[in-house]
Amino acid sequence: MRISVIGCGYLGAVHASAMAELGHDVIGIDVDEGKIAALAAGRPPFFEPGLPEILTSATATGRLRFSTDLADAADAEVHFVAVGTPQAADTHAADLRYVDAAFTSLLPHLADGALVVGKSTVPVGTAARLAALIAREAPGARLAWNPEFLREGYAVKDTLEPDRLVYGVAAGEQGMAAASVLDQVYRAALEAGTPRIVTDYATAELVKVAANAFLATKISFINAMSEIADVTGADVTALADAIGHDARIGRRFLNAGVGFGGGCLPKDIRAFTARADELGRGDSLAFLKEVDTINLRQRQRVVDLAVDALDGSVFRKKVAVLGVTFKPESDDVRDSPALDVAVTLKGLGADVVATDPEGIENARLRHPQLDYTSSAREALRDADLVVLVTEWREYRALDPEHTAGLVRGRRIIDGRNVLDPVAWRAAGWAYRGIGRP
Ligand code: UGA
């Protein structure tokens, strides 16, 4: 099919490349010339495992092109809108200016029979509003809402092999027609047995934020348990293993630590809460405010542990911060707990040296005041304290004996509970995890 993808960020660039990989004829559109030039040259403007490979192979076949001009998308049968919906500057609500701008600019280019597919995460009610706009301004075109559930770090796999497809469509025949167009787009996944749920706009919008709200709640739940574990001498990791064996609960997303961050979970739960307030149902989602509060408390908790480990003051102490991205296998530092911890420690007067395999460039743009090194060895050299806040494989694999030879003081805060306390203590380290005795 002829497909356009409007917005080539983490979501759109992967979606465009994956659709071309599946054999579709794809044009990726973005207003950022630098981004489009990089993508056209086969260079993703961000780190995502597997993306360079499919981007290069698809651009080489000619099935994937990029442009800053929406007119180049005019002959597409399906237009995916994948622009960002960040948190508004002054409220917790989502900022819809990019979505609105994308739709407004797309309208004059919509051919009769074209299908516009919203992928961006939006407040419930947005799709109905945009469907009315299309009906008024481009009556031959249709709208579907098709939320995306990809995880950074696994984005290519999640797009090629999604665990479910959700189509929000209009009622009646129009909606059925939209669903069958999406079936053609996702034929490969459907043939592989991917479950598909066809529903109304509001449900599709809600599925997305409900999923992220549930995941965020799961993480804050285990972090709350870790706070109780801390004061009782219990072990939150064993607790998570034990409750995780109950298939109704499940072990995944029960890792206590410095908490969740990134461009999705934090802003999505805030936007969801703000939308519920607007709908007069603030009480229904009041618990998500607590989920947010517990989550942010974890960052302070790691900072407090650091201060404690250095006997009450980090002033002029060298602190090696391992990790700045919000999770491994990504260069994304948006709302990163790791970077927040590094910045707070620096603010307390510590000589912070932060390291990360992929995130330094983005971190430096936001926080140029920090010292960075791409070498973990360099960060660790003569450190008085080590703080592990992003669980990159190379930090999980650190050898306590060898690391002891690099640092000045054998003190480590394991902000992700990924190290073996027994092995580290045996090598003479003062080890502190989150909710672990
Ligand atoms: C999340 C969802 O998992 C995706 O399904 C969704 O599509 C995406 O948001 C989105 O809305 O676009 P992502 O932000 O890539 O994906 O990251 P996650 O893997 O969900 O991790 C989020 C944060 O939770 C990370 O900071 C991670 O370190 C933290 N986390 C995760 C924990 O602290 N504990 C856990 O047990 C799991």
PDB file of all heavy atoms in Angstrom, residues 110-142:
ATOM      1  N   LEU A 110      -5.481  15.550   1.303  1.00  0.00           N
ATOM      2  CA  LEU A 110      -6.166  14.259   1.429  1.00  0.00           C
ATOM      3  C   LEU A 110      -6.952  13.914   0.177  1.00  0.00           C
ATOM      4  O   LEU A 110      -7.862  14.640  -0.221  1.00  0.00           O
ATOM      5  CB  LEU A 110      -7.111  14.276   2.637  1.00  0.00           C
ATOM      6  CG  LEU A 110      -6.435  14.194   4.006  1.00  0.00           C
ATOM      7  CD1 LEU A 110      -7.477  14.300   5.114  1.00  0.00           C
ATOM      8  CD2 LEU A 110      -5.632  12.898   4.141  1.00  0.00           C
ATOM      9  N   ALA A 111      -6.606  12.778  -0.419  1.00  0.00           N
ATOM     10  CA  ALA A 111      -7.332  12.314  -1.608  1.00  0.00           C
ATOM     11  C   ALA A 111      -8.659  11.701  -1.173  1.00  0.00           C
ATOM     12  O   ALA A 111      -8.822  11.298  -0.019  1.00  0.00           O
ATOM     13  CB  ALA A 111      -6.491  11.277  -2.334  1.00  0.00           C
ATOM     14  N   ASP A 112      -9.572  11.607  -2.112  1.00  0.00           N
ATOM     15  CA  ASP A 112     -10.845  10.931  -1.823  1.00  0.00           C
ATOM     16  C   ASP A 112     -10.563   9.480  -1.464  1.00  0.00           C
ATOM     17  O   ASP A 112      -9.794   8.810  -2.149  1.00  0.00           O
ATOM     18  CB  ASP A 112     -11.732  10.967  -3.081  1.00  0.00           C
ATOM     19  CG  ASP A 112     -12.815  12.020  -2.924  1.00  0.00           C
ATOM     20  OD1 ASP A 112     -12.754  12.779  -1.926  1.00  0.00           O
ATOM     21  OD2 ASP A 112     -13.705  12.084  -3.796  1.00  0.00           O
ATOM     22  N   GLY A 113     -11.169   9.033  -0.397  1.00  0.00           N
ATOM     23  CA  GLY A 113     -10.977   7.634  -0.002  1.00  0.00           C
ATOM     24  C   GLY A 113      -9.770   7.399   0.879  1.00  0.00           C
ATOM     25  O   GLY A 113      -9.532   6.276   1.330  1.00  0.00           O
ATOM     26  N   ALA A 114      -8.971   8.452   1.123  1.00  0.00           N
ATOM     27  CA  ALA A 114      -7.776   8.270   1.962  1.00  0.00           C
ATOM     28  C   ALA A 114      -8.191   7.972   3.400  1.00  0.00           C
ATOM     29  O   ALA A 114      -9.245   8.412   3.869  1.00  0.00           O
ATOM     30  CB  ALA A 114      -6.905   9.523   1.915  1.00  0.00           C
ATOM     31  N   LEU A 115      -7.339   7.205   4.085  1.00  0.00           N
ATOM     32  CA  LEU A 115      -7.590   6.902   5.493  1.00  0.00           C
ATOM     33  C   LEU A 115      -6.497   7.566   6.331  1.00  0.00           C
ATOM     34  O   LEU A 115      -5.304   7.341   6.092  1.00  0.00           O
ATOM     35  CB  LEU A 115      -7.576   5.385   5.728  1.00  0.00           C
ATOM     36  CG  LEU A 115      -7.805   4.951   7.187  1.00  0.00           C
ATOM     37  CD1 LEU A 115      -9.230   5.283   7.642  1.00  0.00           C
ATOM     38  CD2 LEU A 115      -7.536   3.445   7.350  1.00  0.00           C
ATOM     39  N   VAL A 116      -6.919   8.395   7.285  1.00  0.00           N
ATOM     40  CA  VAL A 116      -5.963   8.994   8.222  1.00  0.00           C
ATOM     41  C   VAL A 116      -5.989   8.132   9.483  1.00  0.00           C
ATOM     42  O   VAL A 116      -7.069   7.802   9.986  1.00  0.00           O
ATOM     43  CB  VAL A 116      -6.350  10.450   8.565  1.00  0.00           C
ATOM     44  CG1 VAL A 116      -5.291  11.091   9.463  1.00  0.00           C
ATOM     45  CG2 VAL A 116      -6.545  11.267   7.304  1.00  0.00           C
ATOM     46  N   VAL A 117      -4.809   7.764   9.964  1.00  0.00           N
ATOM     47  CA  VAL A 117      -4.737   6.881  11.127  1.00  0.00           C
ATOM     48  C   VAL A 117      -3.940   7.561  12.230  1.00  0.00           C
ATOM     49  O   VAL A 117      -2.733   7.788  12.079  1.00  0.00           O
ATOM     50  CB  VAL A 117      -4.069   5.538  10.756  1.00  0.00           C
ATOM     51  CG1 VAL A 117      -4.108   4.588  11.948  1.00  0.00           C
ATOM     52  CG2 VAL A 117      -4.737   4.911   9.551  1.00  0.00           C
ATOM     53  N   GLY A 118      -4.607   7.892  13.308  1.00  0.00           N
ATOM     54  CA  GLY A 118      -3.909   8.513  14.441  1.00  0.00           C
ATOM     55  C   GLY A 118      -3.154   7.462  15.230  1.00  0.00           C
ATOM     56  O   GLY A 118      -3.706   6.413  15.567  1.00  0.00           O
ATOM     57  N   LYS A 119      -1.875   7.730  15.495  1.00  0.00           N
ATOM     58  CA  LYS A 119      -1.065   6.822  16.318  1.00  0.00           C
ATOM     59  C   LYS A 119      -0.635   7.506  17.606  1.00  0.00           C
ATOM     60  O   LYS A 119      -0.294   6.847  18.590  1.00  0.00           O
ATOM     61  CB  LYS A 119       0.201   6.396  15.548  1.00  0.00           C
ATOM     62  CG  LYS A 119      -0.044   5.263  14.610  1.00  0.00           C
ATOM     63  CD  LYS A 119       1.077   4.244  14.685  1.00  0.00           C
ATOM     64  CE  LYS A 119       0.657   2.854  14.279  1.00  0.00           C
ATOM     65  NZ  LYS A 119       0.022   2.077  15.324  1.00  0.00           N
ATOM     66  N   SER A 120      -0.621   8.832  17.586  1.00  0.00           N
ATOM     67  CA  SER A 120      -0.165   9.582  18.762  1.00  0.00           C
ATOM     68  C   SER A 120      -1.061   9.252  19.963  1.00  0.00           C
ATOM     69  O   SER A 120      -2.242   8.939  19.798  1.00  0.00           O
ATOM     70  CB  SER A 120      -0.240  11.082  18.488  1.00  0.00           C
ATOM     71  OG  SER A 120       0.407  11.400  17.272  1.00  0.00           O
ATOM     72  N   THR A 121      -0.475   9.354  21.164  1.00  0.00           N
ATOM     73  CA  THR A 121      -1.255   9.135  22.391  1.00  0.00           C
ATOM     74  C   THR A 121      -1.991  10.425  22.715  1.00  0.00           C
ATOM     75  O   THR A 121      -1.364  11.459  22.952  1.00  0.00           O
ATOM     76  CB  THR A 121      -0.302   8.774  23.550  1.00  0.00           C
ATOM     77  OG1 THR A 121       0.439   7.623  23.159  1.00  0.00           O
ATOM     78  CG2 THR A 121      -1.071   8.488  24.825  1.00  0.00           C
ATOM     79  N   VAL A 122      -3.324  10.365  22.700  1.00  0.00           N
ATOM     80  CA  VAL A 122      -4.111  11.602  22.849  1.00  0.00           C
ATOM     81  C   VAL A 122      -5.161  11.458  23.948  1.00  0.00           C
ATOM     82  O   VAL A 122      -5.573  10.346  24.273  1.00  0.00           O
ATOM     83  CB  VAL A 122      -4.823  11.958  21.529  1.00  0.00           C
ATOM     84  CG1 VAL A 122      -3.825  12.394  20.459  1.00  0.00           C
ATOM     85  CG2 VAL A 122      -5.670  10.798  21.025  1.00  0.00           C
ATOM     86  N   PRO A 123      -5.611  12.570  24.514  1.00  0.00           N
ATOM     87  CA  PRO A 123      -6.693  12.523  25.491  1.00  0.00           C
ATOM     88  C   PRO A 123      -7.970  11.988  24.846  1.00  0.00           C
ATOM     89  O   PRO A 123      -8.255  12.325  23.686  1.00  0.00           O
ATOM     90  CB  PRO A 123      -6.887  13.990  25.897  1.00  0.00           C
ATOM     91  CG  PRO A 123      -5.686  14.715  25.396  1.00  0.00           C
ATOM     92  CD  PRO A 123      -5.108  13.932  24.278  1.00  0.00           C
ATOM     93  N   VAL A 124      -8.693  11.168  25.591  1.00  0.00           N
ATOM     94  CA  VAL A 124      -9.918  10.586  25.035  1.00  0.00           C
ATOM     95  C   VAL A 124     -10.869  11.714  24.597  1.00  0.00           C
ATOM     96  O   VAL A 124     -11.044  12.700  25.303  1.00  0.00           O
ATOM     97  CB  VAL A 124     -10.568   9.615  26.059  1.00  0.00           C
ATOM     98  CG1 VAL A 124     -10.856  10.282  27.390  1.00  0.00           C
ATOM     99  CG2 VAL A 124     -11.842   8.996  25.493  1.00  0.00           C
ATOM    100  N   GLY A 125     -11.408  11.555  23.408  1.00  0.00           N
ATOM    101  CA  GLY A 125     -12.272  12.586  22.832  1.00  0.00           C
ATOM    102  C   GLY A 125     -11.619  13.284  21.649  1.00  0.00           C
ATOM    103  O   GLY A 125     -12.297  13.895  20.825  1.00  0.00           O
ATOM    104  N   THR A 126     -10.293  13.175  21.547  1.00  0.00           N
ATOM    105  CA  THR A 126      -9.570  13.869  20.470  1.00  0.00           C
ATOM    106  C   THR A 126      -9.963  13.309  19.103  1.00  0.00           C
ATOM    107  O   THR A 126     -10.184  14.057  18.147  1.00  0.00           O
ATOM    108  CB  THR A 126      -8.051  13.734  20.669  1.00  0.00           C
ATOM    109  OG1 THR A 126      -7.725  14.170  21.991  1.00  0.00           O
ATOM    110  CG2 THR A 126      -7.279  14.554  19.654  1.00  0.00           C
ATOM    111  N   ALA A 127     -10.041  11.990  18.988  1.00  0.00           N
ATOM    112  CA  ALA A 127     -10.320  11.377  17.680  1.00  0.00           C
ATOM    113  C   ALA A 127     -11.691  11.807  17.161  1.00  0.00           C
ATOM    114  O   ALA A 127     -11.835  12.122  15.978  1.00  0.00           O
ATOM    115  CB  ALA A 127     -10.235   9.856  17.779  1.00  0.00           C
ATOM    116  N   ALA A 128     -12.673  11.846  18.053  1.00  0.00           N
ATOM    117  CA  ALA A 128     -14.017  12.249  17.614  1.00  0.00           C
ATOM    118  C   ALA A 128     -13.971  13.683  17.081  1.00  0.00           C
ATOM    119  O   ALA A 128     -14.587  14.003  16.059  1.00  0.00           O
ATOM    120  CB  ALA A 128     -15.000  12.133  18.773  1.00  0.00           C
ATOM    121  N   ARG A 129     -13.225  14.533  17.777  1.00  0.00           N
ATOM    122  CA  ARG A 129     -13.096  15.927  17.333  1.00  0.00           C
ATOM    123  C   ARG A 129     -12.418  15.987  15.966  1.00  0.00           C
ATOM    124  O   ARG A 129     -12.856  16.715  15.068  1.00  0.00           O
ATOM    125  CB  ARG A 129     -12.290  16.719  18.378  1.00  0.00           C
ATOM    126  CG  ARG A 129     -11.935  18.120  17.959  1.00  0.00           C
ATOM    127  CD  ARG A 129     -11.338  18.936  19.109  1.00  0.00           C
ATOM    128  NE  ARG A 129     -10.022  18.541  19.566  1.00  0.00           N
ATOM    129  CZ  ARG A 129      -8.878  18.808  18.934  1.00  0.00           C
ATOM    130  NH1 ARG A 129      -8.897  19.449  17.770  1.00  0.00           N
ATOM    131  NH2 ARG A 129      -7.716  18.428  19.442  1.00  0.00           N
ATOM    132  N   LEU A 130     -11.356  15.204  15.780  1.00  0.00           N
ATOM    133  CA  LEU A 130     -10.628  15.244  14.511  1.00  0.00           C
ATOM    134  C   LEU A 130     -11.442  14.596  13.381  1.00  0.00           C
ATOM    135  O   LEU A 130     -11.352  15.014  12.227  1.00  0.00           O
ATOM    136  CB  LEU A 130      -9.261  14.568  14.660  1.00  0.00           C
ATOM    137  CG  LEU A 130      -8.307  15.316  15.610  1.00  0.00           C
ATOM    138  CD1 LEU A 130      -7.084  14.469  15.936  1.00  0.00           C
ATOM    139  CD2 LEU A 130      -7.878  16.662  15.008  1.00  0.00           C
ATOM    140  N   ALA A 131     -12.245  13.599  13.726  1.00  0.00           N
ATOM    141  CA  ALA A 131     -13.105  12.971  12.708  1.00  0.00           C
ATOM    142  C   ALA A 131     -14.105  14.000  12.197  1.00  0.00           C
ATOM    143  O   ALA A 131     -14.390  14.067  10.989  1.00  0.00           O
ATOM    144  CB  ALA A 131     -13.827  11.763  13.297  1.00  0.00           C
ATOM    145  N   ALA A 132     -14.627  14.831  13.099  1.00  0.00           N
ATOM    146  CA  ALA A 132     -15.576  15.869  12.698  1.00  0.00           C
ATOM    147  C   ALA A 132     -14.875  16.889  11.793  1.00  0.00           C
ATOM    148  O   ALA A 132     -15.451  17.360  10.801  1.00  0.00           O
ATOM    149  CB  ALA A 132     -16.157  16.551  13.938  1.00  0.00           C
ATOM    150  N   LEU A 133     -13.621  17.197  12.134  1.00  0.00           N
ATOM    151  CA  LEU A 133     -12.851  18.138  11.309  1.00  0.00           C
ATOM    152  C   LEU A 133     -12.676  17.584   9.892  1.00  0.00           C
ATOM    153  O   LEU A 133     -12.881  18.290   8.899  1.00  0.00           O
ATOM    154  CB  LEU A 133     -11.477  18.376  11.970  1.00  0.00           C
ATOM    155  CG  LEU A 133     -10.484  19.231  11.193  1.00  0.00           C
ATOM    156  CD1 LEU A 133     -10.885  20.706  11.253  1.00  0.00           C
ATOM    157  CD2 LEU A 133      -9.060  19.061  11.754  1.00  0.00           C
ATOM    158  N   ILE A 134     -12.319  16.304   9.798  1.00  0.00           N
ATOM    159  CA  ILE A 134     -12.127  15.679   8.481  1.00  0.00           C
ATOM    160  C   ILE A 134     -13.456  15.651   7.718  1.00  0.00           C
ATOM    161  O   ILE A 134     -13.498  15.973   6.528  1.00  0.00           O
ATOM    162  CB  ILE A 134     -11.534  14.256   8.639  1.00  0.00           C
ATOM    163  CG1 ILE A 134     -10.088  14.356   9.130  1.00  0.00           C
ATOM    164  CG2 ILE A 134     -11.597  13.488   7.322  1.00  0.00           C
ATOM    165  CD1 ILE A 134      -9.401  13.041   9.368  1.00  0.00           C
ATOM    166  N   ALA A 135     -14.532  15.298   8.412  1.00  0.00           N
ATOM    167  CA  ALA A 135     -15.840  15.228   7.745  1.00  0.00           C
ATOM    168  C   ALA A 135     -16.212  16.590   7.150  1.00  0.00           C
ATOM    169  O   ALA A 135     -16.833  16.681   6.090  1.00  0.00           O
ATOM    170  CB  ALA A 135     -16.902  14.775   8.740  1.00  0.00           C
ATOM    171  N   ARG A 136     -15.792  17.662   7.839  1.00  0.00           N
ATOM    172  CA  ARG A 136     -16.124  19.008   7.389  1.00  0.00           C
ATOM    173  C   ARG A 136     -15.213  19.468   6.250  1.00  0.00           C
ATOM    174  O   ARG A 136     -15.665  20.006   5.259  1.00  0.00           O
ATOM    175  CB  ARG A 136     -15.959  19.951   8.591  1.00  0.00           C
ATOM    176  CG  ARG A 136     -16.920  21.106   8.618  1.00  0.00           C
ATOM    177  CD  ARG A 136     -16.914  21.815   9.961  1.00  0.00           C
ATOM    178  NE  ARG A 136     -15.603  22.132  10.480  1.00  0.00           N
ATOM    179  CZ  ARG A 136     -15.146  21.739  11.674  1.00  0.00           C
ATOM    180  NH1 ARG A 136     -15.896  21.017  12.465  1.00  0.00           N
ATOM    181  NH2 ARG A 136     -13.948  22.079  12.082  1.00  0.00           N
ATOM    182  N   GLU A 137     -13.925  19.226   6.408  1.00  0.00           N
ATOM    183  CA  GLU A 137     -12.943  19.835   5.491  1.00  0.00           C
ATOM    184  C   GLU A 137     -12.487  18.907   4.365  1.00  0.00           C
ATOM    185  O   GLU A 137     -11.977  19.379   3.358  1.00  0.00           O
ATOM    186  CB  GLU A 137     -11.695  20.279   6.291  1.00  0.00           C
ATOM    187  CG  GLU A 137     -11.994  21.190   7.471  1.00  0.00           C
ATOM    188  CD  GLU A 137     -12.400  22.595   7.045  1.00  0.00           C
ATOM    189  OE1 GLU A 137     -12.021  23.016   5.939  1.00  0.00           O
ATOM    190  OE2 GLU A 137     -13.119  23.252   7.827  1.00  0.00           O
ATOM    191  N   ALA A 138     -12.565  17.594   4.597  1.00  0.00           N
ATOM    192  CA  ALA A 138     -12.128  16.651   3.556  1.00  0.00           C
ATOM    193  C   ALA A 138     -13.082  15.466   3.578  1.00  0.00           C
ATOM    194  O   ALA A 138     -12.717  14.346   3.952  1.00  0.00           O
ATOM    195  CB  ALA A 138     -10.691  16.197   3.823  1.00  0.00           C
ATOM    196  N   PRO A 139     -14.323  15.696   3.173  1.00  0.00           N
ATOM    197  CA  PRO A 139     -15.388  14.708   3.387  1.00  0.00           C
ATOM    198  C   PRO A 139     -15.143  13.352   2.727  1.00  0.00           C
ATOM    199  O   PRO A 139     -15.742  12.362   3.124  1.00  0.00           O
ATOM    200  CB  PRO A 139     -16.637  15.381   2.822  1.00  0.00           C
ATOM    201  CG  PRO A 139     -16.210  16.680   2.234  1.00  0.00           C
ATOM    202  CD  PRO A 139     -14.804  16.939   2.554  1.00  0.00           C
ATOM    203  N   GLY A 140     -14.236  13.295   1.745  1.00  0.00           N
ATOM    204  CA  GLY A 140     -13.962  11.998   1.107  1.00  0.00           C
ATOM    205  C   GLY A 140     -13.025  11.119   1.922  1.00  0.00           C
ATOM    206  O   GLY A 140     -12.849   9.938   1.625  1.00  0.00           O
ATOM    207  N   ALA A 141     -12.408  11.696   2.963  1.00  0.00           N
ATOM    208  CA  ALA A 141     -11.417  10.936   3.745  1.00  0.00           C
ATOM    209  C   ALA A 141     -12.038  10.407   5.030  1.00  0.00           C
ATOM    210  O   ALA A 141     -13.142  10.812   5.417  1.00  0.00           O
ATOM    211  CB  ALA A 141     -10.224  11.835   4.056  1.00  0.00           C
ATOM    212  N   ARG A 142     -11.346   9.461   5.677  1.00  0.00           N
ATOM    213  CA  ARG A 142     -11.850   8.813   6.903  1.00  0.00           C
ATOM    214  C   ARG A 142     -10.777   8.833   7.976  1.00  0.00           C
ATOM    215  O   ARG A 142      -9.603   8.966   7.687  1.00  0.00           O
ATOM    216  CB  ARG A 142     -12.181   7.341   6.623  1.00  0.00           C
ATOM    217  CG  ARG A 142     -13.137   7.107   5.484  1.00  0.00           C
ATOM    218  CD  ARG A 142     -14.576   7.244   5.955  1.00  0.00           C
ATOM    219  NE  ARG A 142     -15.502   7.261   4.826  1.00  0.00           N
ATOM    220  CZ  ARG A 142     -15.962   8.368   4.265  1.00  0.00           C
ATOM    221  NH1 ARG A 142     -15.603   9.559   4.711  1.00  0.00           N
ATOM    222  NH2 ARG A 142     -16.805   8.319   3.246  1.00  0.00           N
TER     223      ARG A 142
END
